[in-house]
C-alpha cells in the first residue's frame, strides 16, 4: 500500500485547512470595489493592501519553514489556522483602512505558517512517484478555495458586506481544532529533535537564505516563481476593479466569472494533474502554461462581451491552476530532505512577486485601467523565456543525495 493511501485521512485534513485559507483570501476579490467606495480608497491603496499580506508572508516564510522542520508540521498548521481566523474576524470588523492593513498582515503571517508546513507534510507522507499526485490534491484544494471564496464573498455580501469574513473566521477556527485533535505529526520525534538545530543554524536568517539561494540547484525555479507571481499578481489584484470600472459588474457578476472560470483548474488538479506532469514533464508544462497565461491576459484587453470575458478568464485560470503545482512539484523533487526549507523559500519568492506586483498594478490602474494587464502579459512572456532556459540546467537529485547548503 502506498504511503499516501495510508495517510489519506491526513491529506483530507490538510486539504480542508488549505482550502479554508484560500477561501478566506478569495473572499476579498469581488467585495473590494464596494470597499473602495465605502472607505474612499483607490486602486493604489488596494495594491498596497494586497502587498501588505504578501510582505508579512515573505518576511515570515523562511522562519516558518525552518520551524516546520524543527518543531513539526502540525504545530505550525494549528497555530497558523488560529491566527488566520483572528485576521478574518478583524477584517470584518474594520471600519478604517489601518485595520484592514493590520488584518492583512496577520493573514500573511498565518499563510506563511500554514503553506510551508502543509507542503512539507505532503512531502513527508509521499514517495517521489506519489509527490505530483499529493501536490495536485493540495493545489486542488487551493484552487477550490479560490473558486468558493469569491462566490461566497459575492453572494453572501448581499446580506451584509462583512458577513463572509465572520463566517470564514469561525470555520477556520473549527478547522484548526480538527487539526489539533485529529492530525498526526508527520515527523518522528527523533527526526524532529535531530533536525531542530543544525538546519536552522546552517540555513540562517531570511536575508542570508535569499543571498545564498543562487547557489541552489533550484535557483532558476525560484526566479521563475518570482517573475510568475509578479505577473499574475497584476492580473489577480485588479481583476475585480477592472471589470467593475470597465463593465459595471456587481459582486455577483465578478463571483460568477471567477467561480466558473476557475472550476476547471480544480478538476484538472484533482484528476489529471499527475498524469499531465508524468506524461509531459514539469519543464514543458510550466513553459506552456506561462505562454498561455501571458497571451490570454493580453486578450482580456480586447474583449467586451460577457461570454468572451468568461472564456478568456477561463483559460487564464486554468493555466495558472496547473502552473503553480507544477513548479511546486519540481522544486520539491529538487529539495531532497530539506522540504520545509525549500517550501519556505518558494513561499518567500512568491511573496516577493506578490509584493511588487500589486503595488505596481494599483498605481498603474489609477493611471489607466489597461496598463496592469499589459505589464502582466510582458512579464509572463519574459518568464516563459526564463523557463526554457531553466529546464536545461535543472536536474532532480537521487533520493539519497542531499544538496549542499553552502
Amino acid at each position: 500500500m502506498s504511503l499516501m493511501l495510508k495517510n489519506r485521512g491526513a491529506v483530507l485534513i490538510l486539504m480542508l485547512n488549505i482550502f479554508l485559507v484560500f477561501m478566506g483570501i478569495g473572499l476579498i476579490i469581488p467585495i473590494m470595489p464596494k470597499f473602495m467606495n465605502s472607505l474612499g480608497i483607490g486602486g493604489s491603496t488596494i495594491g498596497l493592501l494586497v502587498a501588505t499580506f504578501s510582505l508579512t508572508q515573505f518576511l515570515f516564510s523562511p522562519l516558518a519553514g525552518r520551524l516546520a522542520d524543527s518543531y513539526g508540521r502540525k504545530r505550525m498548521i494549528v497555530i497558523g489556522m488560529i491566527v488566520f481566523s483572528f485576521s478574518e474576524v478583524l477584517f470584518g470588523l474594520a471600519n478604517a483602512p489601518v485595520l484592514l492593513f493590520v488584518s492583512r498582515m496577520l493573514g500573511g503571517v498565518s499563510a506563511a505558517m500554514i503553506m510551508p508546513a502543509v507542503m512539507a507534510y505532503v512531502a513527508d507522507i509521499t514517495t517521489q512517484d506519489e509527490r505530483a499526485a499529493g501536490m495536485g490534491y493540495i493545489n486542488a484544494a487551493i484552487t477550490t478555495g479560490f473558486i468558493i471564496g469569491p462566490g461566497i464573498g459575492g453572494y453572501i455580501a448581499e446580506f451584509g458586506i462583512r458577513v463572509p469574513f465572520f463566517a470564514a473566521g469561525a470555520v477556520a477556527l473549527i478547522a484548526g481544532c480538527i487539526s489539533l485533535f485529529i492530525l498526526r505529526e508527520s515527523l518522528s520525534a527523533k527526526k524532529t529533535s535531530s533536525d531542530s538545530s543544525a538546519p536552522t543554524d546552517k540555513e540562517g536568517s531570511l536575508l542570508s537564505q535569499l543571498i545564498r539561494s543562487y547557489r541552489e540547484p533550484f535557483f532558476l525555479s525560484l526566479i521563475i516563481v518570482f517573475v510568475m507571481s509578479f505577473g499574475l499578481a497584476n492580473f489577480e489584484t485588479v481583476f475585480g476593479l477592472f471589470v467593475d470600472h470597465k463593465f459595471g459588474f456587481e459582486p455577483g457578476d465578478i463571483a460568477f466569472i471567477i467561480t466558473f472560470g476557475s472550476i476547471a483548474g480544480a478538476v484538472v488538479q484533482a484528476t489529471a494533474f499527475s498524469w499531465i506532469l508524468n506524461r509531459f514533464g514539469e519543464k514543458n508544462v510550466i513553459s506552456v502554461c506561462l505562454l498561455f497565461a501571458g497571451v490570454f491576459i493580453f486578450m482580456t484587453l480586447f474583449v467586451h462581451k460577457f461570454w468572451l470575458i468568461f472564456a478568456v478568464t477561463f483559460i487564464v485560470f486554468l493555466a495558472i491552476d496547473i502552473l503553480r503545482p507544477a513548479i511546486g512539484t519540481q522544486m520539491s523533487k529538487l529539495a531532497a530532505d530539506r522540504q520545509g526549507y525549500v517550501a519556505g523559500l518558494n513561499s518567500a519568492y512568491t511573496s516577493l512577486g506578490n509584493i511588487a506586483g500589486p503595488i505596481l498594478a494599483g498605481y498603474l490602474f489609477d493611471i489607466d485601467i489597461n496598463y496592469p494587464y499589459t505589464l502582466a502579459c510582458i512579464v509572463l512572456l519574459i518568464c516563459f523565456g526564463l523557463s526554457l532556459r531553466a529546464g536545461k540546467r535543472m536536474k532532480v537529485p537521487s533520493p539519497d543525495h542531499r544538496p549542499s547548503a553552502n
Side-chain angles (χ1 to χ4, degrees), residues 20 23 27 88-89 152 156 162-173:
L20 290 172
M23 181 189 71
L27 287 172
E88 288 296 302
V89 172
I152 292 176
I156 298 186
R162 302 174 187 271
V163 173
F165 300 101
F166 298 137
V171 174
L173 184 61

Side-chain angles (χ1 to χ4, degrees), residues 20-25 53 79-89 104 106-107 110-111 114 168-169 172:
L20 290 172
V21 169
F22 281 87
M23 181 189 71
I25 295 171
F53 179 98
I79 296 174
M81 291 303 297
I82 294 173
V83 174
F84 176 75
S85 173
F86 179 75
S87 73
E88 288 296 302
V89 172
R104 291 298 88 185
L106 291 173
S110 68
I114 296 167

Side-chain angles (χ1 to χ4, degrees), residues 64-87:
R66 284 157 38 208
L67 290 175
D69 284 339
S70 301
Y71 301 107
R73 326 305 194 194
K74 173 181 175 178
R75 185 174 302 178
M76 300 301 293
I77 292 170
V78 171
I79 296 174
M81 291 303 297
I82 294 173
V83 174
F84 176 75
S85 173
F86 179 75
S87 73

Side-chain angles (χ1 to χ4, degrees), residues 6 12 25 28 43 92 102 111 130 141 169 209 240 285 321 327 376 396:
K6 290 170 61 177
L12 289 174
I25 295 171
I28 198 174
V102 173
E130 296 171 335
Q209 287 183 53
V285 172
D321 293 335
I327 292 180
V396 177

